[in-house]
Amino acid sequence: MNLLSIGVTLFLFSYSPIDSLPVVKELPVYSDLYENQWINITASFEVIHQVERKLIIHSSEGLAHARTSLFYDKLNQIESFELEVIDPATKKTLEKAKLRDMEDAAVYSYSSIFDDDRRKYYELKTAKFPIEVTIKTVTKSKSNFFIPTWIPVSRANQKLKESSLTVVYPEHLGIRYKELNLLGTKEEFQSGDERVIIWKEKDLPVQAPDFDNKLDHRVLLAPVSFALENYVGKMDDWSGLAAWQYELNKGRGALPSDFESKVIQMVAHTDDPYEKTKILYDYLQKNFRYVSIQLGIGGWQTMTAKEVISSSYGDCKGLTNLMKAMLEAVGISSYPALVRAGVDAEDIVIDLPSQQFNHVILQVPMPNSPNPVWLECTSSLLPAGYLGDFTKNRHVLVTTPTGGYLTKTPMYNNPEWNRISGFYEFKIDAQGNAELSSKVKMEGNIAEKMLSIKSALDTRQQRDYFNQNSPVSGLIIQNYSLETDRLDSLPMAELRYDGIVQKFVQTTAKRVILKSFIKKISEDQLTNNSLYQDDEYLIELPEVFKSDDLLDDLNYQDDFGTISVKHSLDGKTLKISRTIAIQIPENTDEEVKSELLKKINSVTSKTYFFTKPTTSSYNE
């Protein structure tokens, strides 16, 4: 079945007569919002952000909509905060608050040892509704490197009545923007030496908590000319931003002479560039610890290589810079690359050059190969050349001495990166219980999860995880072993376990029923749009049974790949072999992928029926 036929099928099955269509339930509204925002960029690159917000809160669920949280650090200041709560019926003031009344807290990270991130926050506590809440805030940033994004509907279950954003900036500094899903108006005009842009939205739809962010109404803003502390740059294109990043960190990779000699000696026995890269990356992983360092411009300017060596730790920039310096010492060029990292992070907006990044990785071009080696220098687990879920399949900004360019990290959707093979042997006793012995080999993306489990969980936690994620419902694991390895860039893992399954089969006076037990393919396994899995199940029955309906072998094929299931019954042994080879185009619709997943699981989900032998059948 191809994409078109699946789409037609979905349309046909989704059609219903008008009188049978389900009633769309109206979303509850916890608050109404009236809001005006002003962003004023000064000639000295400062950004003053003013917000005036009025909320009509209808119930206790809407109290969170009035929570105010303001970030500050060395570069960002909170100028003022005012809050007033009014009873709409009597117009009586119920509560007032100012900046001095806000709570103050550090923004901690488990990996941070140096940062100056803090927040002031204020929360309402009342049992009276409805209430009218007015909130006014003014914040100031010393740099226009970061300009806030305007999102008119900021909360789920909130009805936006009116919202506006006014941006004022010196024309010589310039500004760029990208509008997404806007329904309102925009006005733009000159006022002396400044440009003014005003966006207005009103009566936007109420959003559910699971609202798709890609459909959200927003304006993304970015400067043309900018400055961060004393470092001035331009980001009218990606190369300009990369050039600024390169200049910011230029000259910070010098190595102590004794350390440089040590690095050269470590790879003296090989001339292979990948082998050298792998050796030095392994040394970095074993000897340097990742920490986050966020102090002013420290979020962008790296520690020097000497500082990382002397302290044995560094943030993503520091470790990447050290790795780059070590490679340079042995004659290998490499380039830092800015990326928006995170397992569930959205990719950057590629047609609006701007600060959209939160992490740095390293690109190492290989001679005689079109594909560079990518290094995640903060990881102590991943092999050289494999990025994992944190940064794979993302647009990144590579920084070079001549500027830089956008490229994309690997998707790892080839067969070798998504392979799993399992062998499962069941022995069923006369009561229908089963003993299971298994061995599962995993490669690539599937093995990455095992690396994390082995590193982060203790023995008890690992056993709990495998029990909760076992391939057979009701399995209780008694013994297990998990081994991890790597073949060049390829992560590998082997999991073995023994266990018992109570009531694995159901028995009646004349029949034995083996319900579908083969583990279903999950959405996670298709995250990389590729899956190559082969499983073999050997089931030793308590005695020789006859099959009520000897199942024919299954061979299914469509545009996405093939599924094969084979069966044989030899004496007391039932053998089931399942092979799945799936390759999904990258831009395939999620609904089509969901239908494919259902198809895979439906065609491999079977119940087996056996007839118990009788005396006459033995005599025959």
Side-chain angles (χ1 to χ4, degrees):
M1 183 179 289
N2 57 32
L3 287 175
L4 177 59
S5 61
I6 288 179
V8 172
T9 301
L10 290 174
F11 171 78
L12 291 174
F13 278 100
S14 65
Y15 173 80
S16 301
I18 293 177
D19 59 0
S20 68
L21 289 174
V23 176
V24 178
K25 194 172 184 180
E26 189 172 342
L27 290 170
V29 175
Y30 302 150
S31 72
D32 297 330
L33 174 64
Y34 303 80
E35 182 180 78
N36 295 304
Q37 295 192 34
W38 295 266
I39 294 176
N40 193 323
I41 302 172
T42 71
S44 57
F45 302 101
E46 289 183 332
V47 177
I48 300 168
H49 186 200
Q50 182 179 351
V51 180
E52 292 187 2
R53 180 181 297 125
K54 184 173 78 171
L55 292 150
I56 309 299
I57 299 177
H58 304 295
S59 63
S60 59
E61 292 89 348
L63 284 177
H65 297 182
R67 185 182 193 275
T68 303
S69 179
L70 302 174
F71 171 84
Y72 71 98
D73 62 6
K74 183 179 178 181
L75 296 174
N76 300 277
Q77 303 169 11
I78 303 171
E79 298 289 297
S80 66
F81 163 76
E82 296 179 14
L83 176 142
E84 184 175 17
V85 181
I86 295 174
D87 182 341
T90 64
K91 303 301 181 183
K92 180 180 178 180
T93 297
L94 304 176
E95 184 177 350
K96 279 190 172 184
K98 293 205 170 188
L99 185 58
R100 62 177 178 269
D101 301 310
M102 300 186 81
E103 300 287 337
D104 192 291
V107 180
Y108 288 112
S109 167
Y110 74 94
S111 60
S112 295
I113 60 170
F114 296 122
D115 65 41
D116 54 0
D117 296 352
R118 299 191 69 86
R119 283 189 179 275
K120 287 186 178 292
Y121 64 94
Y122 192 89
E123 296 179 328
L124 288 182
K125 295 180 178 64
T126 181
K128 181 178 177 59
F129 300 100
I131 54 173
E132 179 182 307
V133 183
T134 302
I135 303 170
K136 299 179 181 180
T137 63
V138 180
T139 58
K140 183 169 72 173
S141 173
K142 296 180 181 179
S143 170
N144 66 333
F145 187 58
F146 318 91
I147 303 178
T149 294
W150 183 51
I151 306 176
V153 182
S154 58
R155 303 277 190 167
N157 300 103
Q158 183 177 74
K159 178 60 180 178
L160 177 74
K161 296 294 189 177
E162 294 178 357
S163 182
S164 71
L165 171 67
T166 301
V167 178
V168 182
Y169 63 95
E171 188 171 25
H172 72 278
L173 291 186
I175 201 169
R176 293 168 298 112
Y177 56 85
K178 183 177 179 65
E179 302 171 331
L180 297 171
N181 308 310
L182 296 187
L183 303 175
T185 64
K186 181 185 72 174
E187 180 183 5
E188 189 168 357
F189 56 89
Q190 190 79 17
S191 177
D193 295 332
E194 295 179 320
R195 293 289 296 173
V196 180
I197 312 175
I198 303 173
W199 286 275
K200 293 182 179 180
E201 295 287 329
K202 64 179 181 179
D203 295 323
L204 292 179
V206 179
Q207 299 174 4
D210 59 352
F211 181 77
D212 186 351
N213 290 335
K214 294 178 182 178
L215 303 176
D216 210 353
H217 322 277
R218 64 181 65 194
V219 176
L220 310 178
L221 297 161
V224 176
S225 298
F226 68 93
L228 187 57
E229 294 194 356
N230 296 321
Y231 296 88
V232 179
K234 281 184 174 290
M235 62 171 81
D236 46 350
D237 58 26
W238 287 115
S239 182
L241 178 56
W244 175 84
Q245 179 72 14
Y246 178 84
E247 288 298 320
L248 186 66
N249 292 296
K250 187 170 66 174
R252 304 180 73 81
L255 298 175
S257 57
D258 57 339
F259 185 86
E260 183 174 356
S261 299
K262 179 180 178 180
V263 166
I264 294 172
Q265 187 61 35
M266 277 192 281
V267 299
H269 64 284
T270 180
D271 293 326
D272 181 67
Y274 176 76
E275 187 66 20
K276 290 181 178 181
T277 301
K278 185 169 66 171
I279 291 169
L280 296 181
Y281 182 62
D282 184 64
Y283 175 80
L284 180 83
Q285 290 179 305
K286 291 179 178 177
N287 292 277
F288 296 91
R289 181 168 58 96
Y290 167 71
V291 298
S292 176
I293 300 173
Q294 305 292 334
L295 288 169
I297 201 169
W300 289 90
Q301 188 174 62
T302 180
M303 301 168 63
T304 66
K306 291 180 180 179
E307 289 171 332
V308 176
I309 293 167
S310 64
S311 60
S312 297
Y313 63 72
D315 62 3
C316 60
K317 300 178 301 300
L319 295 177
T320 299
N321 182 56
L322 175 58
M323 185 68 208
K324 179 179 184 299
M326 289 195 294
L327 289 171
E328 187 174 339
V330 298
I332 299 176
S333 297
S334 61
Y335 307 102
L338 302 176
V339 60
R340 180 186 291 175
V343 174
D344 298 317
E346 295 180 8
D347 201 0
I348 64 169
V349 177
I350 62 174
D351 57 353
L352 184 71
S354 55
Q355 193 317 86
Q356 301 178 52
F357 309 102
N358 61 3
H359 191 51
V360 182
I361 56 180
L362 191 64
Q363 183 204 64
V364 189
M366 289 284 111
N368 304 319
S369 173
N371 301 315
V373 169
W374 293 94
L375 301 178
E376 172 52 79
C377 296
T378 65
S379 172
S380 60
L381 301 175
L382 301 179
Y386 179 74
L387 293 177
D389 285 343
F390 199 55
T391 53
K392 70 184 177 187
N393 196 30
R394 309 285 170 81
H395 282 94
V396 297
L397 180 59
V398 178
T399 62
T400 71
T402 56
Y405 57 92
L406 276 188
T407 188
K408 203 168 187 183
T409 57
M411 185 177 179
Y412 301 110
N413 62 340
N414 294 329
E416 62 267 28
W417 297 103
N418 298 278
R419 194 178 299 280
I420 180 171
S421 61
F423 177 79
Y424 308 90
E425 188 171 11
F426 297 85
K427 292 184 179 181
I428 304 174
D429 63 23
Q431 288 72 45
N433 304 318
E435 294 183 358
L436 169 62
S437 178
S438 67
K439 179 174 68 175
V440 185
K441 292 184 177 181
M442 294 157 276
E443 296 179 359
N445 297 305
I446 301 169
E448 182 191 357
K449 180 71 174 179
M450 298 298 109
L451 299 180
S452 299
I453 288 172
K454 186 169 184 179
S455 171
L457 304 183
D458 60 30
T459 303
R460 181 187 60 78
Q461 292 170 326
Q462 289 180 27
R463 185 189 299 271
D464 290 345
Y465 176 86
F466 294 131
N467 273 319
Q468 293 166 10
N469 295 273
S470 68
V472 180
S473 178
L475 174 65
I476 301 173
I477 295 176
Q478 296 175 314
N479 301 293
Y480 81 95
S481 66
L482 174 61
E483 301 296 331
T484 58
D485 201 354
R486 58 183 67 178
L487 178 62
D488 291 335
S489 299
L490 183 69
M492 306 173 71
E494 181 176 287
L495 173 63
R496 294 174 178 261
Y497 52 83
D498 301 323
I500 58 173
V501 186
Q502 294 182 338
K503 302 302 180 184
F504 184 60
V505 297
Q506 297 178 3
T507 61
T508 65
K510 295 182 179 181
R511 306 179 77 189
V512 173
I513 304 169
L514 173 57
K515 289 190 174 181
S516 176
F517 66 92
I518 298 178
K519 185 178 182 181
K520 292 183 177 181
I521 304 302
S522 67
E523 290 185 8
D524 290 343
Q525 289 177 267
L526 291 182
T527 300
N528 304 289
N529 288 352
S530 177
L531 177 63
Y532 293 80
Q533 179 164 346
D534 59 272
D535 299 304
E536 184 174 304
Y537 304 87
L538 291 182
I539 303 168
E540 184 179 311
L541 303 168
E543 50 187 309
V544 176
F545 295 149
K546 287 186 177 181
S547 174
D548 281 13
D549 53 345
L550 187 60
L551 294 171
D552 295 330
D553 292 341
L554 169 69
N555 290 288
Y556 174 83
Q557 183 172 355
D558 65 12
D559 291 348
F560 299 114
T562 61
I563 306 170
S564 171
V565 182
K566 297 181 179 181
H567 317 82
S568 66
L569 181 60
D570 184 9
K572 295 194 301 180
T573 303
L574 171 66
K575 180 179 178 180
I576 306 171
S577 300
R578 179 181 69 166
T579 301
I580 299 172
I582 298 295
Q583 190 76 46
I584 306 172
E586 184 174 356
N587 296 321
T588 300
D589 185 86
E590 289 299 319
E591 192 171 8
V592 174
K593 288 174 64 175
S594 178
E595 288 300 309
L596 173 64
L597 187 63
K598 291 177 183 178
K599 170 62 73 175
I600 294 172
N601 289 324
S602 66
V603 299
T604 60
S605 177
K606 299 295 180 184
T607 298
Y608 300 83
F609 298 92
F610 302 94
T611 301
K612 292 182 178 181
T614 63
T615 303
S616 60
S617 67
Y618 278 128
N619 292 334
E620 292 174 4

